[in-house]
Amino acid sequence: MKKECVAMLLAGGIGKRLGQLTKDMAKPAVPFGGRYRIIDFVLSNCLQSNINTVGVLTQYQPLTLHKHIGVGKPWDLDRMDDGLAILSPFTQHNGGNWYEGTADAVTKNIHYIDQFDPQYVLILSGDHIYHMDYNELLTHHKATNADVTISVMEVPWKETSRFGIIHMNTDYEITSFEEKPLKTKSNLASMGIYVFKWSVLKECLQYDHNNAYSDHDFGKDILPYMLLNQKKMCAFPFRGYWKDVGTIQSYWDAHMDLLNGQFLLQLDQKDWMTYSHDNNHPPQLITETGSVHQSLINNGCIVSGMVESSVLFENVQVGNNSIVKNSVLHPGVRVGRHVSLDRVIVQEDVIIPDYTNINVPLSDEPIVLSKEFFIETQKVGGMKS
Amino acid sequence: MNKVMGIINLAEEKNCLSELTTDRCLAAVPFAARYRLIDFALTNMVRSNVKEIAIFTHSNYRSLLTHVGSGADWDLNKRHGGLYVLPPYWQDTDINGDIDYFLHNWDYIERSKAEHLLISGSSLITNTNFDKLIQDHINKNADITFLTIKTPASPALNDTSTFQDNRQKALSTKINNVTESAFYTGIYLIKKSCLHSLIFSSGSEITSNLLIDVICSQFSLMNVQIVQHQGYSCSINSIQDYYHHSLQLLEQKNYEQLFQLSRNVTTKISNYKPAKYEQTASVKQSLISTGCRIAGNVEKSMLSRAVTVEAGATVKNSIILDHCQIKSGAYIENAIIDKFTVLSEGDIIIGDKEHPHVIGKQKNVQTVVKK
């Protein structure tokens, strides 16, 4: 079956800087925005862009992720001939290996891509929050007749040191890269979204595979190699909200953006819906004693306390006389009575005992409350202030 | 246990909820901010491993069909079993009663491997499973087993309508050796062979178009059993029932009884974002669904999916269905507002506590209504 474009979605990363949040699940599976998981945004983009052949490359802690995406039904990717395929590392007659880098993951699945004989391969990352029509990128790629097109966006000048920075000429042709420069003449950052001519990429991957000194990474190895070999590389400037929620602070910030309405990404945009699973929880109940302001609350919640500037995922309960402020509560969290929480992220199914008091000052990074956290604090005699 | 097939029998249900049932049948009426009445019957059956379900539709079933679709949201689009919508026989211009449905669709019922039929309407709201009903029915080799409740589920069951009366009387005489009272719920399990003989062999003796009445008239010849239903239930037979039972779910105790944890009621999935509460929102004792945006006052009310309440708007003791917009300056008390209605500044709607004011679908109200 021939397809013009096949998407390969990188979803196997560890997401180390998210610490406790990615201890038991891959970063794309981390809950986001009150009902989603991070990967929902890119899968919904695929649906809206009519990209319906998607290989999802998984490796690190894939159980939650696999369970969530299943056969891709929420995104209409459960199709007869193509659709979604989960591509995990596998063994062969001569043994087998883990994916040793983003490029290596694709190299090990060349046979998956080849069955569709595509002209283009779209490389996506499963850990970004954004809305994007990939057809615009593809159209740009065709118009410039590039070998690879990299989606870029302007970032604040003081933040260039956090990104891979790209320099281009007036024809969108890329002239050089810089990895996390402190001072530079461009503020165009690579978004980790690329479209390649498959014939060119395949050749580069095969070369890279045999290069003992390579880390087999798209950003570090494949793209510099292409520049060196004078392949035609273009940039596609993207305007809109895009966020790599790579740290606890940026994860928390993104949720506050959502509440303040500064998030340009509108979750209820009718022409660009974000799809996810639905667990069929009943509607939320705000009881007589409950009060909610500036918050997002999902199905199945029972709120008897006060909730301010917070995001509550499904099936969360907040007891009488408790105050939850500036916090993100993952599915199934139980907040007891007389509890005070400020600037915390509470993980799935954690039970917060009565009279717990955890308020993180503005100067500190928000903290993640896990099941282990409460076991630890019990050992040292409780964390009550 | 594929010995049982389900029939959701809407043939004898009256469209009795005033404006709410002008465009849709009772089974398709939205309930509890997220569901439609039929969801409860469907969920309970699927949960009891009844996975082949037919729906006898009668009138105004467009929104019902859109809602149930292929049955996928109830896991009914599988190789085994499935959901079958059986509309009225088009040549019968004057269909009344459900016996015709059984007769016309007997080939379908006959083909099924099921030995028993679980028959239910859509008006009883409960979140349960029928395992005990099915088990008892089979163990006692019953012809018919009724699921009954201790207290009448609805005042309407006490009315003097002769059908209700006769059924209850027949049921009571049959079970007069039972110490506690048992009331009819419209849910019963019947042996396929028994159903066959009731509707075919006694052709000349059939005095009613309704299967239940034929059953009642033959009580003495059959092994009839009852199983008492435990747990929360209510029945929707009038707009007062609807309003009253809806608002009762705002009591946490009732809410928790109906929507027990780990026993979710299944419905058609939508994809709205979580409900958004703005800084100016004041929400007390209310049931809120996804996609809502609230900036105004909401008290003892129920908001279905994607309802907007602007700052300076008030909703009290009311039920607001999907996609309504309550704009700044609107005031609503003791009312039921159907889908897609827009209420703006100066719209004041105040109904009576016993007789809520009902506004039909998609109205652009520009009036002041007081009672």
Side-chain angles (χ1 to χ4, degrees):
Chain A
M1 187 194 192
K2 189 166 169 60
K3 299 288 291 192
E4 187 191 31
C5 180
V6 168
M8 296 298 272
L9 206 170
L10 304 164
I14 300 178
K16 252 186 220 148
R17 290 171 305 157
L18 279 174
Q20 187 64 37
L21 289 182
T22 48
K23 187 171 158 274
D24 298 319
M25 64 179 81
K27 184 172 159 194
V30 170
F32 186 85
R35 80 163 280 183
Y36 311 96
R37 292 187 187 268
I38 293 173
I39 199 170
D40 292 348
F41 292 86
V42 65
L43 287 173
S44 298
N45 287 342
C46 285
L47 165 64
Q48 313 271 15
S49 310
N50 215 8
I51 301 284
N52 39 40
T53 312
V54 183
V56 184
L57 299 150
T58 65
Q59 171 160 290
Y60 173 78
Q61 283 285 20
L63 177 65
T64 313
L65 185 61
H66 287 177
K67 214 172 122 183
H68 180 69
I69 51 187
V71 293
K73 197 169 164 232
W75 308 276
D76 280 357
L77 288 168
D78 54 333
R79 292 162 58 92
M80 281 203 276
D81 300 318
D82 45 2
L84 181 138
I86 288 182
L87 306 170
S88 288
F90 50 89
T91 55
Q92 287 165 292
H93 65 93
N94 56 354
N97 284 300
W98 297 109
Y99 295 153
E100 275 148 31
T102 51
D104 183 53
V106 178
T107 307
K108 289 198 165 100
N109 288 287
I110 286 177
H111 60 291
Y112 167 76
I113 300 172
D114 272 342
Q115 39 171 354
F116 302 105
D117 188 20
Q119 277 159 283
Y120 309 107
V121 168
L122 180 63
I123 305 291
L124 302 170
S125 171
D127 44 16
H128 300 155
I129 309 284
Y130 66 112
H131 283 171
M132 182 174 180
D133 186 345
Y134 300 130
N135 285 313
E136 289 173 13
L137 171 64
L138 209 56
T139 308
H140 184 87
H141 180 73
K142 288 179 200 167
T144 56
N145 193 29
D147 292 315
V148 60
T149 302
I150 302 175
S151 185
V152 297
M153 69 179 297
E154 288 182 28
V155 294
W157 285 99
K158 57 176 190 212
E159 288 183 25
T160 53
S161 62
R162 289 179 48 214
F163 297 95
I165 295 295
I166 275 166
H167 299 267
M168 66 173 191
N169 65 21
T170 46
D171 292 329
Y172 300 107
E173 273 183 53
I174 294 171
T175 52
S176 63
F177 302 113
E178 280 179 286
E179 194 55 33
K180 300 181 180 166
L182 276 170
K183 261 199 158 164
T184 178
K185 285 182 177 155
S186 163
N187 67 337
L188 290 175
S190 164
M191 297 159 66
I193 300 164
Y194 323 108
V195 58
F196 290 91
K197 268 186 192 158
W198 175 228
S199 54
V200 176
L201 176 61
K202 194 169 158 182
E203 195 189 301
C204 294
L205 288 174
Q206 276 157 350
Y207 170 84
D208 178 76
H209 180 66
N210 298 318
N211 179 359
Y213 300 102
S214 172
D215 283 335
H216 312 298
D217 184 85
F218 273 101
K220 259 171 81 187
D221 304 294
I222 302 292
L223 297 176
Y225 170 78
M226 288 179 79
L227 195 66
L228 200 69
N229 284 272
Q230 294 176 338
K231 302 286 181 197
K232 187 169 181 185
M233 307 179 77
C234 286
F236 169 72
F238 169 79
R239 277 177 199 85
Y241 190 95
W242 175 88
K243 199 151 196 160
D244 177 355
V245 283
T247 62
I248 302 280
Q249 183 71 46
S250 70
Y251 177 84
W252 183 86
D253 286 345
H255 279 92
M256 295 304 127
D257 284 354
L258 206 60
L259 295 176
N260 297 332
Q262 286 167 8
F263 213 152
L264 293 174
L265 178 84
Q266 292 296 316
L267 289 176
D268 49 356
Q269 226 170 276
K270 283 199 186 76
D271 53 350
W272 205 275
M273 290 278 279
T274 304
Y275 297 94
S276 190
H277 265 297
D278 191 305
N279 288 325
N280 265 309
H281 288 287
Q284 57 206 267
L285 180 69
I286 313 299
T287 70
E288 247 176 310
T289 54
S291 104
V292 186
H293 296 111
Q294 189 73 348
S295 296
L296 276 171
I297 304 203
N298 201 4
N299 285 333
C301 290
I302 303 180
V303 179
S304 303
M306 194 167 127
V307 176
E308 303 259 341
S309 299
S310 296
V311 176
L312 271 56
F313 283 75
E314 70 260 23
N315 191 22
V316 168
Q317 294 183 9
V318 178
N320 279 337
N321 299 310
S322 288
I323 302 176
V324 176
K325 267 184 171 170
N326 307 313
S327 295
V328 179
L329 275 51
H330 285 177
V333 168
R334 295 282 179 275
V335 177
R337 291 152 187 253
H338 303 277
V339 170
S340 171
L341 299 177
D342 193 2
R343 288 169 57 81
V344 297
I345 297 160
V346 189
Q347 287 196 282
E348 232 157 299
D349 299 328
V350 168
I351 298 168
I352 310 235
D354 295 354
Y355 298 99
T356 306
N357 205 332
I358 303 173
N359 302 295
V360 179
L362 258 172
S363 50
D364 293 0
E365 187 173 85
I367 60 166
V368 176
L369 304 181
S370 59
K371 281 182 182 163
E372 290 85 355
F373 178 91
F374 285 97
I375 296 166
E376 292 292 313
T377 50
Q378 261 168 15
K379 277 186 203 152
V380 297
M383 180 152 175
K384 291 168 191 173
S385 60
Chain B
M1 209 167 58
N2 286 325
K3 282 182 170 175
V4 181
M5 71 182 285
I7 304 271
I8 297 186
N9 182 4
L10 311 179
E12 52 171 318
E13 279 186 356
K14 302 278 180 289
N15 295 332
C16 53
L17 299 189
S18 68
E19 279 92 338
L20 298 185
T21 44
T22 48
D23 286 338
R24 53 169 95 83
C25 56
L26 183 69
V29 168
F31 186 73
R34 175 180 169 89
Y35 309 97
R36 292 184 189 257
L37 293 188
I38 196 169
D39 293 343
F40 294 86
L42 277 175
T43 303
N44 293 336
M45 283 190 182
V46 171
R47 192 185 282 136
S48 317
N49 213 16
V50 176
K51 303 231 163 128
E52 180 182 11
I53 300 175
I55 305 178
F56 290 173
T57 63
H58 184 239
S59 57
N60 295 350
Y61 50 86
R62 187 192 77 183
S63 51
L64 181 71
L65 292 187
T66 320
H67 181 69
V68 297
S70 65
D73 287 322
W74 294 266
D75 247 358
L76 287 170
N77 61 336
K78 298 294 176 230
R79 297 264 179 256
H80 296 269
L83 185 73
Y84 303 84
V85 177
L86 308 177
Y89 201 60
W90 68 275
Q91 280 167 325
D92 271 356
T93 47
D94 190 26
I95 218 172
N96 42 28
D98 51 0
I99 287 188
D100 282 346
Y101 284 83
F102 286 104
L103 290 171
H104 287 309
N105 295 297
W106 191 258
D107 56 334
Y108 159 77
I109 294 168
E110 188 65 54
R111 258 200 313 275
S112 164
K113 283 180 188 142
E115 290 162 28
H116 309 275
L117 286 85
L118 177 58
I119 299 178
S120 167
S122 72
S123 65
L124 188 82
I125 305 295
T126 180
N127 183 7
T128 183
N129 69 51
F130 299 127
D131 291 351
K132 182 164 166 30
L133 177 73
I134 296 169
Q135 217 48 61
D136 275 23
H137 178 78
I138 291 169
N139 291 349
K140 292 178 180 168
N141 194 23
D143 292 315
I144 295 184
T145 307
F146 285 95
L147 186 77
T148 56
I149 43 180
K150 271 184 213 166
T151 46
S154 141
L157 281 177
N158 286 338
D159 71 19
T160 47
S161 100
T162 40
F163 283 150
Q164 298 285 10
D165 226 27
N166 286 344
R167 284 174 213 173
Q168 189 58 52
K169 223 180 268 168
L171 203 54
S172 305
T173 39
K174 184 70 198 174
I175 50 147
N176 56 7
N177 51 344
V178 179
T179 46
E180 56 193 4
S181 54
F183 291 87
Y184 178 64
T185 58
I187 298 171
Y188 56 95
L189 198 58
I190 183 167
K191 242 187 213 167
K192 188 153 87 181
S193 57
C194 169
L195 176 64
H196 183 267
S197 58
L198 279 174
I199 61 172
F200 286 101
S201 346
S202 56
S204 55
E205 296 155 37
I206 290 185
T207 51
S208 166
N209 302 319
L210 293 177
L211 177 63
I212 184 67
D213 293 328
V214 177
I215 291 171
C216 289
S217 68
Q218 306 283 314
F219 255 13
S220 51
L221 307 171
M222 297 185 292
N223 176 7
V224 181
Q225 300 291 335
I226 67 158
V227 165
Q228 195 83 293
H229 170 64
Q230 310 291 335
Y232 190 88
S233 70
C234 63
S235 178
I236 310 292
N237 296 298
S238 68
I239 198 84
Q240 284 79 20
D241 283 351
Y242 179 80
Y243 181 67
H244 175 71
H245 291 307
S246 294
L247 295 193
Q248 280 216 317
L249 292 176
L250 302 176
E251 303 285 340
Q252 192 172 346
K253 174 184 67 151
N254 296 334
Y255 172 92
E256 281 174 350
Q257 275 185 14
L258 181 61
F259 302 117
Q260 312 149 51
L261 288 176
S262 74
R263 209 190 231 190
N264 287 328
V265 177
T266 323
T267 186
K268 186 183 175 189
I269 295 303
S270 70
N271 254 288
Y272 293 106
K273 67 170 174 56
K276 175 77 200 288
Y277 297 74
E278 303 294 351
Q279 194 56 51
T280 53
S282 161
V283 181
K284 293 273 174 238
Q285 211 184 345
S286 293
L287 205 58
I288 313 287
S289 202
T290 47
C292 287
R293 198 181 67 81
I294 308 172
N297 303 315
V298 178
E299 201 184 316
K300 290 194 180 166
S301 293
M302 215 172 244
L303 310 187
S304 292
R305 286 162 174 162
V307 168
T308 325
V309 180
E310 288 184 359
T314 299
V315 177
K316 255 175 108 175
N317 304 325
S318 294
I319 299 167
I320 316 288
L321 300 184
D322 310 41
H323 297 283
C324 285
Q325 294 174 44
I326 316 298
K327 299 200 168 176
S328 184
Y331 183 92
I332 300 162
E333 190 175 343
N334 303 331
I336 300 169
I337 316 285
D338 206 340
K339 288 184 171 189
F340 293 103
T341 300
V342 181
L343 297 174
S344 342
E345 166 110 57
D347 286 336
I348 299 172
I349 293 162
I350 303 173
D352 185 85
K353 269 203 157 131
E354 299 304 316
H355 299 279
H357 190 82
V358 185
I359 291 185
K361 207 168 160 181
Q362 220 158 351
K363 292 275 159 48
N364 213 329
V365 185
Q366 290 296 343
T367 45
V368 178
V369 187
K370 279 189 182 178
K371 275 197 174 172

